[in-house]
């Protein structure tokens, strides 16, 4: 099986919780939100291996400027903890604080360093723009001015929603080993599946032992499909149209950054830590609006011969009425007029009106599952 | 048995790997070749999970329906 990124699968889950909780009246508490908890759990469970905590200044600057940690290991998205200046000013190096969530201490944070950063530089290097219309830029501009680095020790997991689909890297690695899979292809998604997605997944699966469908669960934009809808839709699809022994679905609790090419690398690294050998990268992967070239997320992989996971690039695909099949621009000789695109907008409109899209766009069972839900979209 | 062996590769291959590794995290060509061979020959890295923990994980995977 592929080794974890950076050589070691990180486990920062405390074994002796009672020992740490003895200090409940001694250490300070900082209230954190669900976004921070997601990052904390990803660090603790090894999804972000080799990170053991939030980035320090040297690593942060190296990620911005070189797309690598200071030791040279590929890393493209800063995993940072920002804090209000007045709160940060009181913290000192080596100090231990509790992260508080739902009124209880959930993690121990050992302060390493505090530093300021330029939001414009962050935005322009990570997102390639400082345009406030970009959701990632908006997020950065709303951050506090001080970043605090340090190691994390998880006391208890708080992400209880979809618990039955929440597998950690050490669990998926045991699962893949038990299934006897060697070549494992990961598919990242934040949408309900249509036939185009199924085509890409099955094309990749044909050349590997197993498919790991890994929907991203986390904050979404208004109008996006609800997490539950995505999970239920995939459950229906895999039950009806996949061989049970060749596919696994579990969720990834993470924030979508819309960082296009840099995020494609980040998505690959996380799946490598889950034990995957291959990662599907589509057209305009992790893009938003027209901020990135449609194939920028393919080209960036040339900069990382040492990534340790193999990207599988897919260009655009559509249904060709002449071939009577799902095709891509490498395999179909017919002109555009014969091609019907998998229009997300069209599928979304039909589903929102309670209608089942045509079966050459979406499996009827999947559509039925979606329209049966009380609510489909984020409001 | 020794812990390590020397393997010879042609100079041109060595030079072109070295060139490709500029700016990456590999310390040297040896490190890259070892990772690459492990990956292409599917040689497993030894899991550092103990037997007890691995069994616990298998139990959870079974209870969730991931394993039979």
């Amino acid at each position: 099986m592929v080794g974890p990124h950076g050589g070691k699968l990180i486990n920062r889950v405390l074994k002796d919780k009672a020992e740490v909780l003895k200090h409940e009246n001694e250490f300070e508490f900082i209230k954190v939100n669900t976004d921070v908890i997601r990052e904390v759990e990803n660090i603790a469970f090894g999804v972000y291996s080799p990170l053991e905590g939030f980035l320090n200044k040297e690593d942060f600057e190296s990620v911005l400027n070189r797309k690598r940690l200071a030791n040279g290991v590929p890393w493209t998205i800063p995993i940072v903890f920002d804090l209000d200046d007045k709160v940060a000013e009181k913290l000192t190096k080596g100090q231990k604080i509790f992260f508080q969530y739902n009124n209880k201490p959930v993690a121990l944070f050992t302060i390493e360093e505090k530093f300021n950063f330029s939001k414009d530089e962050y935005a322009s290097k990570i997102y390639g723009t400082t345009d406030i219309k970009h959701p990632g830029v908006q997020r950065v501009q709303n951050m506090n001015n001080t970043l605090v680095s340090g190691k994390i020790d998880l006391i208890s997991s708080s992400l209880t929603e979809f618990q039955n689909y929440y597998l950690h890297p050490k669990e998926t690695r045991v699962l893949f080993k038990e299934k006897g899979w060697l070549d494992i292809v990961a598919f990242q998604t934040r949408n309900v599946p249509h036939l185009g997605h199924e085509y890409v997944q099955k094309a990749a699966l044909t050349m590997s032992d197993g498919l790991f469908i890994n929907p991203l669960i986390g904050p979404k934009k208004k109008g996006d499909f609800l997490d539950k809808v995505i999970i239920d839709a995939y459950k229906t699809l895999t039950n009806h149209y996949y061989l049970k022994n060749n596919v696994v679905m579990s969720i990834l609790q993470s924030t979508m950054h819309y960082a296009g090419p840099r995020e494609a690398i980040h998505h690959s690294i996380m799946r490598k830590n889950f034990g995957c050998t291959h990662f599907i990268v589509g057209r305009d992967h992790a893009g938003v609006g027209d901020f990135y070239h449609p194939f920028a997320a393919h080209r960036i992989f040339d900069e990382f011969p040492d990534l340790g996971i193999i990207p599988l690039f897919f260009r655009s695909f559509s249904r060709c009425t002449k071939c009577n099949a799902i095709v891509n621009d490498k395999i179909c000789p017919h002109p555009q007029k014969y091609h019907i695109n998998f229009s997300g907008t069209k599928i979304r409109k039909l589903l929102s009106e309670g209608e089942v899209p045509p079966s050459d766009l979406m499996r009827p069972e999947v559509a039925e599952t979606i329209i049966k839900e009380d609510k489909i979209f984020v409001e | 048995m020794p812990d390590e062996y020397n393997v010879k590769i042609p100079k041109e291959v060595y030079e072109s790997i070295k060139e490709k590794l500029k700016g990456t995290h590999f310390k040297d060509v040896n490190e890259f070749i070892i990772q690459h061979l492990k990956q292409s020959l599917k040689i497993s890295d030894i899991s550092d999970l103990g037997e007890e923990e691995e069994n616990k994980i298998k139990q959870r995977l079974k209870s969730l329906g991931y394993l039979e």
Side-chain angles (χ1 to χ4, degrees):
Chain A
M1 184 171 295
V2 64
H5 196 56
K8 188 183 169 202
L9 192 64
I10 298 302
N11 179 3
R12 303 282 309 177
V13 182
L14 279 172
K15 282 196 178 123
D16 195 351
K17 292 167 190 171
E19 179 58 35
V20 169
L21 290 172
K22 274 184 197 165
H23 302 281
E24 222 172 323
N25 297 323
E26 185 189 330
F27 298 160
E28 281 190 44
F29 281 67
I30 289 182
K31 280 187 184 171
V32 292
N33 61 27
T34 316
D35 289 350
V36 175
I37 290 298
R38 286 196 179 94
E39 301 291 54
V40 165
E41 295 203 6
N42 283 336
I43 292 167
F45 291 126
V47 179
Y48 290 163
S49 297
L51 302 192
E52 296 186 275
F54 291 106
L55 295 186
N56 62 24
K57 190 175 185 208
E58 189 188 14
D59 280 326
F60 173 74
E61 288 176 351
S62 181
V63 168
L64 254 56
N65 297 317
R66 298 197 300 142
K67 305 184 185 108
R68 290 172 180 275
L69 299 171
N71 64 6
V73 170
W75 200 273
T76 50
I77 298 287
I79 304 300
V80 289
F81 177 57
D82 65 301
L83 201 51
D84 178 78
D85 290 352
K86 282 184 187 158
V87 180
E89 148 182 310
K90 293 179 197 151
L91 302 175
T92 53
K93 187 178 175 177
Q95 185 180 349
K96 291 182 188 299
I97 57 168
F98 283 119
F99 278 161
Q100 186 185 21
Y101 185 71
N102 286 343
N103 295 318
K104 59 174 191 172
V106 293
L108 188 67
F109 181 42
T110 307
I111 311 291
E112 181 197 358
E113 189 184 12
K114 298 178 284 186
F115 56 99
N116 294 323
F117 69 109
S118 155
K119 292 180 182 178
D120 283 348
E121 187 191 4
Y122 185 132
S124 108
K125 292 205 166 138
I126 301 301
Y127 302 107
T129 177
T130 52
D131 188 336
I132 200 71
K133 288 200 284 294
H134 187 294
V137 176
Q138 273 171 35
R139 222 171 122 251
V140 170
Q141 292 298 349
N142 288 331
M143 284 167 74
N144 292 296
N145 296 318
T146 307
L147 299 180
V148 186
S149 71
K151 288 187 181 173
I152 285 295
D153 291 289
L154 186 72
I155 298 169
S156 58
S157 174
S158 311
L159 303 172
T160 51
E161 208 181 8
F162 313 115
Q163 193 66 36
N164 292 353
Y165 297 99
Y166 187 27
L167 298 186
H168 309 139
K170 67 178 179 183
E171 293 172 325
T172 52
R173 286 171 171 272
V174 170
L175 177 60
F176 299 157
K177 192 175 102 182
E178 285 300 297
K179 283 184 168 287
W181 292 357
L182 293 173
D183 286 328
I184 303 141
V185 59
F187 183 79
Q188 139 84 31
T189 184
R190 52 192 164 108
N191 259 312
V192 296
H194 56 54
L195 257 73
H197 298 126
E198 189 180 327
Y199 158 79
V200 167
Q201 291 164 9
K202 287 184 172 172
L205 181 54
T206 305
M207 291 168 284
S208 54
D209 302 315
L211 172 70
F212 180 55
I213 299 172
N214 199 207
L216 196 143
I217 301 300
K220 295 216 160 61
K221 300 195 304 288
K222 190 180 166 191
D224 284 350
F225 285 98
L226 288 167
D227 293 331
K228 183 181 182 301
V229 175
I230 298 169
I231 292 170
D232 287 347
Y234 262 104
K235 222 161 62 178
T236 302
L237 178 70
T238 53
N239 282 344
H240 285 83
Y241 294 99
Y242 286 70
L243 290 164
K244 201 180 170 198
N245 280 338
N246 293 355
V247 62
V248 160
M249 177 182 69
S250 86
I251 58 164
L252 172 66
Q253 296 268 11
S254 190
T255 302
M256 191 66 206
H257 298 272
Y258 303 97
R262 273 183 179 258
E263 196 157 14
I265 299 294
H266 184 59
H267 285 167
S268 307
I269 291 170
M270 290 190 280
R271 276 47 181 239
K272 177 184 169 189
N273 283 329
F274 280 109
C276 299
T277 52
H278 296 74
F279 180 66
I280 294 171
V281 188
R283 186 182 184 276
D284 198 24
H285 185 100
V288 60
D290 55 2
F291 282 101
Y292 308 105
H293 184 280
F295 299 112
H298 292 188
R299 292 181 200 139
I300 193 172
F301 282 83
D302 290 342
E303 297 175 42
F304 299 95
D306 52 340
L307 194 61
I309 179 166
I310 300 163
L312 298 178
F313 299 131
F314 281 87
R315 297 169 69 89
S316 51
F317 41 85
S318 51
R319 170 167 282 285
C320 173
T321 52
K322 199 93 169 146
C323 294
N324 193 21
I326 297 169
V327 298
N328 63 53
D329 57 358
K330 283 167 97 176
I331 60 173
C332 175
H334 304 119
Q336 196 66 38
K337 64 178 179 179
Y338 295 108
H339 290 178
I340 302 167
N341 290 326
F342 293 97
S343 161
T345 315
K346 184 179 170 187
I347 293 174
R348 186 182 299 267
K349 186 171 181 293
L350 288 167
L351 291 170
S352 68
E353 289 163 357
E355 277 186 52
V356 172
S359 60
D360 54 1
L361 284 183
M362 180 175 262
R363 297 286 190 187
E365 297 88 341
V366 173
E368 296 285 358
T369 301
I370 297 169
I371 58 181
K372 258 189 237 158
E373 304 274 354
D374 293 335
K375 261 182 14 184
I376 302 178
F377 302 110
V378 175
E379 286 169 359
Chain B
M1 281 222 304
D3 287 340
E4 289 181 325
Y5 292 92
N6 290 320
V7 178
K8 288 183 179 170
I9 60 167
K11 187 182 169 204
E12 313 81 71
V13 178
Y14 181 90
E15 295 295 342
S16 89
I17 296 173
K18 201 174 164 189
E19 186 60 32
K20 193 107 179 151
L21 297 187
K22 277 184 184 162
T24 72
H25 75 284
F26 288 111
K27 285 200 294 277
D28 52 33
V29 173
N30 276 333
E31 201 180 277
F32 171 78
I33 290 177
I34 292 166
Q35 182 186 302
H36 195 72
L37 287 176
K38 275 172 144 182
Q39 204 174 336
S40 57
L41 298 175
K42 294 164 183 157
I43 300 169
S44 235
D45 280 335
I46 298 161
S47 162
D48 56 0
L49 291 175
E51 199 184 327
E52 193 186 338
E53 190 173 12
E54 194 164 324
N55 285 336
K56 245 198 228 170
I57 290 175
K58 282 183 204 165
Q59 273 316 113
R60 178 169 190 252
L61 293 170
K62 278 180 191 164
S63 71
L64 295 176
Y66 283 102
L67 284 177
E68 284 173 359

